Amino acid sequence: MAGAAAEQRRLATVVESWLGRPVLIVGDAMLDEWRFADSDRLCREAPAPVLTLRRRISAAGGAANTAVNVATLGGRAVLVAPVGADVAGDELHDCLDRAGVWDRTVSHSGRHTPVKRRMLAGNQILLREDSGDPDDALDPDGISQLLTALDCATEELRAAAGGEAPTLVVCDYGLGALPAPVRAWLVEQRERYATVALDAHDLADWRGLAPTVVTPSFAEATRLLARAGGESRPTHGVDLHLEHPDSDPSDGPSELTVGAAPGGTRADGVAVAAADADGDRPGPVGEPTASEGRVALTGDGLSVTGTGVTVNTEAGAGVDRAVLAESRLAELHAHTGADVVAVTLDTEGAVVGGADGERRRSHSTPVPASHAVGAGDAYLAAMTLALAADAPLPTAAQLAQLAATITVSDTGTCVCLRDDLLAALDMSPETGGHPALVGTDELDAIVAEHRDAGRSVVFTNGCFDVLHRGHVRYLEQARALGDLLIVAVNSDGSVRRLKGPDRPVNPVEDRGALLAALSCVDHVVVFEEDSPAALIEAVRPDVYVKGGDYPPELVPEAPLVRRLGGQVRTLGYVPDRSTSAIIERIRSHSQDASAHATDREPDATSSVEASVPDPSLSTRTQQS
């Protein structure tokens, strides 16, 4: 349990570290429209339901939804995209404004904003109507305006970030927002961006970009491999070959047939015919016939339909999409030039690989298709922000999958909020996502963040060896003096020097964990010195609190605190509630029990030992 809590705190620290990170998103922006209707009868003209519209929702889609997710996760998002000068464009601008995205879209009167309209009854999608023709190419003037917007937005982000190079996210869904001149410009300007993420239906269009990360779906990854003509790789004893149709749909998964490679060997050892003299290859052995039907390849190699991948039950037995994707990661790295390749597997999670061969498999929970619209945008946004914040690959993959997973609880376009992500990590957004137990290196950043927000900082220190009611009341009173309470705890070595060789009773790990569990304590830090002076210099508390019945003038740290502009307060303990008194009582009861045992069962050795006074029982008046 402690390990899981530490992992959650580590992930939350990454979420906090990307707060305000500058991100430029460019690509195909669209409007998602959801129409919810009721239906209780069929029409007389045809076997079709009669729908009564109850409500309508508009949301950002495509590159616009990626920008929304970057903003809601805490990044500073700027969107550059061509948008039509129409009603849908106006609605899209409103969606961006509500999410806090810096809207740098370029309006074009001769171009329609792409819209995906979904009609639902009982949360079941009955039909989808798409508008916005991908063949409506940008004219030279439109391309010039888009390039100018890109250049200006890049410099705007750099200036806002104090000269830091921004992150770039490219969302190319084949809807005409990124024609060849724009792609060429982005490739040429690659050095202006620290981290580059690419999500494209056709990855082959982006050779030379050298992205940090690509996030193809399984269909998009296999499309690239099929076109690249890469060699097949053995998996589970089957030399798998990827066949692909000549034409691809502009939206949605493409059909992929998995079977044994032509000219190779099937799983049952039967040889496969090689190409004939004309160069025409036979289809993969195991290709289902019309009478056999098709099954979709899933985690167990058998069941449901609708994934865009078809296999023969014999050829595909024991093979799943994750295994197939992982076996081709090296080729995907080579063909895309990306440092990180994340192949998304919709309801089955993702397979992520780094250029150094590091692998990560993440999992998701199957949900209705109407719940998962835009989940890939949340995944892309979180993955990009984590990598831009220099998070390790396993951490980035874990946060990306979590962001996508927690957004699919209901019908609609998926958006992940930073507070929801922190809540999923059991971290309160009020504390900024920082863990309760922090190191001295983290303290400066934490205090600066709260000071920027106008919050006052209260600081106290002590051994807190045996946590008791007096400590809790004292810390609650200290917390009431400001907005943030930081407790500095003496290390074990420091306690021994101050209290004697028989202390502490509890190690610093236990003392720190108990303090961190108190709701009144925001952060706990351990210090090695006998005095907290160095920490006081670093924190510069607004209020410094000590326990005791003496006046603040007698507190040794008082002159330092006042020199730094803070005030000193002393708070009394609950009577008869001190660490020393509790330890005395425990040892006294232990002695009484030993004496009674001696009376009942006389024993020479026990009598001698009981009569020897324990030097550790001397009265201690100094409180923890």
Side-chain angles (χ1 to χ4, degrees), residues 462-485:
C463 300
F464 300 98
D465 193 1
V466 178
L467 198 64
H468 53 73
R469 178 186 169 193
H471 287 137
V472 174
R473 177 178 170 182
Y474 159 72
L475 292 171
E476 287 175 342
Q477 290 175 337
R479 180 63 173 79
L481 297 175
D483 300 312
L484 183 79
L485 176 59

Side-chain angles (χ1 to χ4, degrees), residues 48 81 99 127 206 269 274 305 326 335 344 410 429 438 479 481 487 495 577 593 606 616:
L127 62 89
W206 291 94
T305 60
E326 187 168 353
H335 292 313
T344 56
D410 201 359
V438 298
R479 180 63 173 79
L481 297 175
V487 180
V495 174
R577 292 294 188 273
S606 299
S616 69

Side-chain angles (χ1 to χ4, degrees), residues 237-239 259-261 264-272 284-287 314-315:
V238 181
D239 196 21
T265 304
R266 284 190 342 197
D268 56 8
V270 177
V272 181
V285 170
E287 180 76 8
E314 178 184 355

Side-chain angles (χ1 to χ4, degrees), residues 150-160 166 192:
L150 279 170
D151 186 60
C152 292
T154 301
E155 290 308 309
E156 183 181 21
L157 274 177
R158 181 186 292 273
R192 296 173 68 179

